Amino acid sequence: MKKMIIASTSTIYGSGYLDYLLPTLQTHFKGIKTILFIPYARPGGISYEKYTTIASKAFAKINVTVKGIHEYENPKKAILNAEAIFTGGGNTFELVNQLYKNDVLSDLKLVLENGIPYLGTSAGSNICGVTMMNTNDMPIVYPPSFTTLGCIPFNINAHYIDPIKNSKHMGETRETRIKEFHVFNETPVLGLREGSWLSVEDTKITLQGKYTARLFKQGEEPKELESGVEVLI
């Protein structure tokens, strides 16, 4: 009975860390006293301690304590005994690398499938898909595998952006990159715009937030999904 929030980003323009999600998180984590934070993606190369402090300040606003997984002697036990879990954004390659290095990917999948409340943002959302192959991040490390949690039957492209009209930029658009992916891979991809998130309740996946999302399937034209609709693959 999965209970997950899979968000494109932790921070939207003009707002503080997680502020736009806090009303939703207050309900999502109702009754939870302590959240286990996985800071492995370490955005900007910051330390686990600094990243955990950032998360702690945000969750203090809804009276929830945060403790980083690095503070535990045994990360596997930390995950298996967690009340709730939050995986933050940063570099998805490093996040996945550390999940494999610490041998906790299967444990994380197990507790999420059993209904432990989960929040993922950015890289922490990318790992919810079948693979991490639609991340936008630079491959700064080489994880043992691109296979991730598979808690949803498609991949996430977080921070999805549309081509800018009249732009003189000559590089590939995000849509072009995803079409390249579908030359060799069948897994559907959801382009999740900043300010949007997925609410997962068991097998039901619903798009939430202010914006549409863009669903890509191999051999098909991309489809815009309205906020509030169930994502059906």
Side-chain angles (χ1 to χ4, degrees), residues 75-76 97-107:
K76 292 175 74 69
N97 187 52
Q98 290 299 324
L99 291 173
Y100 276 103
K101 182 177 180 180
N102 289 282
D103 191 26
V104 294
L105 187 70
S106 60
D107 300 295

Side-chain angles (χ1 to χ4, degrees), residues 29-41:
F29 291 120
K30 185 177 180 180
I32 299 298
K33 294 181 179 179
T34 303
I35 289 176
L36 177 69
F37 180 52
I38 301 177
Y40 291 158

Side-chain angles (χ1 to χ4, degrees), residues 102-118:
N102 289 282
D103 191 26
V104 294
L105 187 70
S106 60
D107 300 295
L108 182 55
K109 180 178 176 65
L110 176 66
V111 298
L112 298 188
E113 296 285 354
N114 286 338
I116 291 296
Y118 177 82

Side-chain angles (χ1 to χ4, degrees), residues 92-198:
T92 309
F93 287 89
E94 172 59 1
L95 169 58
V96 173
N97 187 52
Q98 290 299 324
L99 291 173
Y100 276 103
K101 182 177 180 180
N102 289 282
D103 191 26
V104 294
L105 187 70
S106 60
D107 300 295
L108 182 55
K109 180 178 176 65
L110 176 66
V111 298
L112 298 188
E113 296 285 354
N114 286 338
I116 291 296
Y118 177 82
L119 167 66
T121 60
S122 191
S125 294
N126 291 338
I127 63 170
C128 296
V130 180
T131 73
M132 57 157 285
M133 293 172 69
N134 297 108
T135 178
N136 308 308
D137 300 317
M138 289 186 177
I140 59 174
V141 294
Y142 191 17
S145 173
F146 292 152
T147 300
T148 46
L149 294 169
C151 289
I152 54 177
F154 51 89
N155 285 351
I156 294 292
N157 179 248
H159 309 280
Y160 181 82
I161 53 175
D162 299 286
I164 300 172
K165 189 176 181 180
N166 299 322
S167 172
K168 294 180 175 62
H169 177 68
M170 297 300 292
E172 291 86 348
T173 65
R174 196 66 56 78
E175 181 172 330
T176 299
R177 291 296 194 196
I178 295 173
K179 287 181 177 179
E180 290 172 349
F181 169 80
H182 276 146
V183 172
F184 302 100
N185 303 273
E186 296 181 356
T187 306
V189 180
L190 187 70
L192 198 58
R193 296 179 174 93
E194 292 188 348
S196 294
W197 66 92
L198 299 176

Side-chain angles (χ1 to χ4, degrees), residues 10-82:
S10 60
T11 311
I12 59 173
Y13 181 77
S15 181
Y17 188 79
L18 293 180
D19 279 351
Y20 81 104
L21 276 172
L22 285 180
T24 298
L25 298 181
Q26 192 159 24
T27 300
H28 185 65
F29 291 120
K30 185 177 180 180
I32 299 298
K33 294 181 179 179
T34 303
I35 289 176
L36 177 69
F37 180 52
I38 301 177
Y40 291 158
R42 55 193 321 164
I46 64 175
S47 69
Y48 293 159
E49 291 78 11
K50 185 173 182 180
Y51 200 5
T52 302
T53 297
I54 293 170
S56 296
K57 288 179 179 179
F59 276 99
K61 298 174 184 177
I62 56 172
N63 299 312
V64 177
T65 299
V66 172
K67 189 168 182 180
I69 194 170
H70 59 287
E71 300 175 50
Y72 293 84
E73 184 176 342
N74 189 321
K76 292 175 74 69
K77 286 184 179 180
I79 286 176
L80 293 172
N81 294 324

